[in-house]
Amino acid sequence: MQLCYHSNQFGKDVMAFQPQLKILISRDEIAKAVAKLASEIRSDYQGKQPLLIGVLKGSFMFMADLIRHLDLPLEIDFIRLSSYGAARESSGKVRVVQGVKTPVKGRDVLVIEDIVDTGITISFLLDYLKKKQPASLKLCALTDKPSRRRIPVSIDYRGFTVPNKFIVGYGLDCDQRFRNLPDIYVLED
Ligand code: IMP
Ligand code: MG
């Protein structure tokens, strides 16, 4: 199991350690992709009042940018799941740390994710939400890493397909770092 950079591994202060970041997707490319996703979502949800559920923490920046383009009477909520801890590999066990407060029954639900990797997290979440009987349930993922998939996932709105590398920035973290970067980078060992 690979671990992200933290003090235990290197015996250094986490903020002092400078890992190698290589740009993968620029802020301009992200902005264009977000606008394109939003225009598809806007036309598909005309006349509806969708409930957008962001998966914390990774989707917060994407969600914030996406909804600014959506001229719809939408609502937002967030769910927090855990499976990773400080590691880069999924433990395979997912649990709900903080559930959705908004009733899901009968709603047109659109899940907003930062990345679909093995698919374990999102399959768990889609099953969990399906049991709450939404009118419809779709998935919007900013990034997709299909080479790592272990459970098939159908992504309705996809921003980027990314290579089998660990990526950070624009909400995505490694051991809670780098979420604030405006671009997406590959974190190199
Ligand atoms: P999955 O269950 O393997 O699909 O993992 C999904 C979750 O793992 C995502 O929502 C992310 O929080 C995290 N994750 C997977 N791959 C990456 C990555 O390359 N960078 C940052 N987080 C990742
Ligand atoms: Mg996530």
Side-chain angles (χ1 to χ4, degrees), residues 5 18-26 29 162-163 165-169 178 181 183-189:
Y5 305 104
Q18 288 305 319
Q20 283 245 309
L21 298 176
K22 210 174 124 203
I23 190 132
L24 181 68
I25 309 168
S26 72
E29 291 173 295
V162 296
K165 306 265 185 197
F166 200 83
I167 60 171
V168 296
F178 311 114
L181 300 177
D183 311 280
I184 294 176
Y185 295 84
V186 168
L187 184 62
E188 304 206 311
D189 290 312

Side-chain angles (χ1 to χ4, degrees), residues 4 55-59 81 83-84 87-92 94 113-124 143 145 148-151 153 162-169 171-175 177 179 184-185 187:
C4 289
V55 186
L56 289 173
K57 303 176 193 170
S59 73
L81 305 167
S83 71
Y84 266 59
R88 289 197 201 184
E89 297 291 323
S90 177
S91 64
V94 185
E113 242 307 22
D114 53 358
I115 185 163
V116 180
D117 185 28
T118 63
I120 293 171
T121 308
I122 203 67
S123 316
F124 168 89
T143 63
K145 211 192 276 180
R148 296 243 313 159
R149 200 73 91 249
R150 282 164 59 191
I151 300 180
V153 177
V162 296
N164 186 6
K165 306 265 185 197
F166 200 83
I167 60 171
V168 296
L172 288 146
D173 76 307
C174 182
D175 209 3
R177 277 193 70 188
R179 292 194 196 276
I184 294 176
Y185 295 84
L187 184 62

Side-chain angles (χ1 to χ4, degrees), residues 47-137:
K48 298 192 168 157
Q49 300 185 8
L51 171 62
L52 272 62
I53 300 181
V55 186
L56 289 173
K57 303 176 193 170
S59 73
F60 81 99
M61 209 178 272
F62 176 39
M63 175 88 130
D65 284 346
L66 185 72
I67 63 171
R68 271 180 271 200
H69 290 278
L70 291 176
D71 179 19
L72 290 169
L74 58 81
E75 277 182 62
I76 64 161
D77 206 337
F78 291 96
I79 191 162
R80 185 136 176 230
L81 305 167
S82 85
S83 71
Y84 266 59
R88 289 197 201 184
E89 297 291 323
S90 177
S91 64
K93 286 189 205 116
V94 185
R95 65 193 177 89
V96 177
V97 177
Q98 185 193 311
V100 271
K101 301 276 187 298
T102 316
V104 161
K105 190 169 181 175
R107 298 298 305 268
D108 291 300
V109 173
L110 179 60
V111 174
I112 310 294
E113 242 307 22
D114 53 358
I115 185 163
V116 180
D117 185 28
T118 63
I120 293 171
T121 308
I122 203 67
S123 316
F124 168 89
L125 177 59
L126 294 174
D127 286 349
Y128 170 89
L129 290 172
K130 237 176 252 163
K131 289 188 191 129
K132 297 185 183 289
Q133 300 175 280
S136 68
L137 182 60

